[in-house]
Amino acid sequence: MKLQRKNRRAIALGALAVSGALALTACGSDDTGTTGNGGASSAAAGNIKCDDASGQLLADGSSAQKNAIDAWVAQFTAACKDVQINYKGGGSGAGVTAFTQGQVAFAGSDSALKPEEVTASKKICSGGQGVNLPMVGGPIAVGYNVSGVDNLVLDASTIAKIFDSKITNWNDPAIKKLNPDAKLPDLKIQAFHRSDESGTTDNFTKYLIATAKKDFPYEGGKAWQAKGGQSAPQSSGVAQQVKQTNGAIGYFELSYVKDNIKAAKLDTGASAPVEANIANATKAIAAAKRVGTGSDYALQLDYNTKVEGAYPMVLVTYEIVCDKGNKAATLPGTKAFLTYIASEDGQKILTENDYAPMPEEIITEVRKTISNLS
């Protein structure tokens, strides 16, 4: 159906506004801008199939993948001009809640659905249930801002003590031992964590619990539990605080490591400290085990790996959708968008924006599930 000029202009403006607001929020949302790769190339846009999709898609969830979502939405809405995507990006917890209450077509979460959340989803997925589709991967960076310190190395025990207020100064002996050549200042550590329920927090604390349980005696989960520190909403909020505070440290996705922020290397017990980058995160994600069944593809990550070059502090962001019983009004748009982001072109955008694409054996199965959504 041909759009009238007025409607075209309204949709274009809506898509532009959405790309700035979009963020899958299994973590908390972030508000940094899109990268230079967010624009739609004619070649990529030509490979996107809209399949008669139209109308508005509401979504919410992980902020970890916000920068990827921004780039995806710019590409998709350039090709499918009859579709608007409003991704609120309020964090993983908010996204899952919105999904199980039937408020959104799909959600983004950095943690797979819990059994009780799957049960709740059956009320809004007529004849089906919510399933986890791994779509975005990447390292959780321990970002810091300390004048004069450019190559910081930390291990799990030291990170745990820093974020539990047991190590409070940058010239602490434990940090000195890991960084004998660094000029560590006599400066108070300002540790920042997430104030909202976050999949990034969930994965960050899972790593600490798996590798330094004695120094991080907490249950973990989306809500922060350790003592002390300061908080900020969403990954963008934590990154902003680290950026503007000398002596600060925080945790967030690699795409937020810029400006005054540097990422610490991890001493995992391998022969050399491991850098937080896409290739090293992919090595860790490839070792994940599938624990979901049927249409569900939840993964179990090995946070304790000591494989050479593997960066184990990683997360996987899931798109959560009904396998059956999706609303008729939003199903075409949801399938078209998910089909695109799971495609070769969609996954390629991840590497251009500091995220790790899913290993081929995983994304191949995800594509099959998307094609069968109903």
Side-chain angles (χ1 to χ4, degrees), residues 322-339:
C322 296
D323 57 354
K324 298 178 182 178
N326 289 279
K327 295 178 181 178
T330 58
L331 177 60
T334 300
K335 286 186 72 170
F337 183 65
L338 295 181
T339 297

Side-chain angles (χ1 to χ4, degrees), residues 335-359:
K335 286 186 72 170
F337 183 65
L338 295 181
T339 297
Y340 162 59
I341 67 177
S343 71
E344 184 176 344
D345 285 339
Q347 289 288 294
K348 182 180 178 182
I349 281 180
L350 294 177
T351 59
E352 297 170 353
N353 289 273
D354 294 324
Y355 295 95
M358 288 297 99

Side-chain angles (χ1 to χ4, degrees), residues 192-207:
F192 288 91
H193 57 264
R194 290 282 289 274
S195 61
D196 52 325
E197 288 203 354
S198 159
T200 307
T201 294
D202 190 17
N203 285 276
F204 178 64
T205 54
K206 279 179 180 177
Y207 169 78

Side-chain angles (χ1 to χ4, degrees), residues 192-274:
F192 288 91
H193 57 264
R194 290 282 289 274
S195 61
D196 52 325
E197 288 203 354
S198 159
T200 307
T201 294
D202 190 17
N203 285 276
F204 178 64
T205 54
K206 279 179 180 177
Y207 169 78
L208 295 179
I209 291 166
T211 56
K213 178 65 175 177
K214 181 181 69 172
D215 300 309
F216 200 80
Y218 301 99
E219 295 180 359
K222 293 187 179 76
W224 184 255
Q225 298 171 348
K227 300 174 183 177
Q230 302 173 67
S231 65
Q234 306 167 4
S235 292
S236 60
V238 174
Q240 181 63 28
Q241 292 299 320
V242 174
K243 175 184 174 181
Q244 66 189 23
T245 308
N246 185 32
I249 190 169
Y251 59 90
F252 30 74
E253 296 68 46
L254 184 63
S255 60
Y256 295 97
V257 175
K258 51 191 172 184
D259 300 327
N260 291 336
I261 303 174
K262 300 177 179 66
K265 294 180 181 179
L266 279 186
D267 183 342
T268 65
S271 63
V274 184

Side-chain angles (χ1 to χ4, degrees), residues 19-201:
S19 71
L22 221 94
L24 288 185
T25 314
C27 302
S29 248
D30 310 355
D31 49 27
T32 59
T34 57
T35 68
N37 296 307
S41 68
S42 58
N47 292 329
I48 297 173
K49 296 182 179 179
C50 304
D51 293 332
D52 298 323
S54 62
Q56 185 180 61
L57 293 182
L58 298 179
D60 197 357
S62 163
S63 65
Q65 62 178 355
K66 180 190 186 310
N67 294 332
I69 290 294
D70 284 349
W72 278 332
V73 169
Q75 295 277 18
F76 184 80
T77 55
C80 304
K81 300 183 185 300
D82 290 352
V83 183
Q84 291 177 290
I85 302 175
N86 187 343
Y87 188 89
K88 185 178 178 182
S92 298
V96 170
T97 297
F99 178 76
T100 56
Q101 292 180 351
Q103 298 171 357
V104 295
F106 66 92
S109 177
D110 304 324
S111 302
L113 291 172
K114 297 177 181 178
E116 60 269 26
E117 292 168 341
V118 173
T119 299
S121 74
K122 293 179 180 180
K123 297 178 181 179
I124 57 102
C125 300
S126 179
Q129 66 179 47
V131 292
N132 304 284
L133 305 179
M135 201 72 72
V136 180
I140 300 173
V142 177
Y144 67 96
N145 175 10
V146 182
S147 296
V149 180
D150 296 325
N151 295 293
L152 186 70
V153 175
L154 297 173
D155 60 14
S157 174
T158 306
I159 294 170
K161 290 176 181 177
I162 288 173
F163 282 91
D164 197 27
S165 301
K166 295 171 185 173
I167 292 178
T168 59
N169 200 288
W170 280 107
N171 64 358
D172 187 275
I175 303 177
K176 283 184 175 181
K177 185 177 179 179
L178 291 165
N179 301 273
D181 299 325
K183 295 181 179 179
L184 296 166
D186 181 6
L187 179 67
K188 181 181 178 181
I189 295 175
Q190 306 277 353
F192 288 91
H193 57 264
R194 290 282 289 274
S195 61
D196 52 325
E197 288 203 354
S198 159
T200 307
T201 294

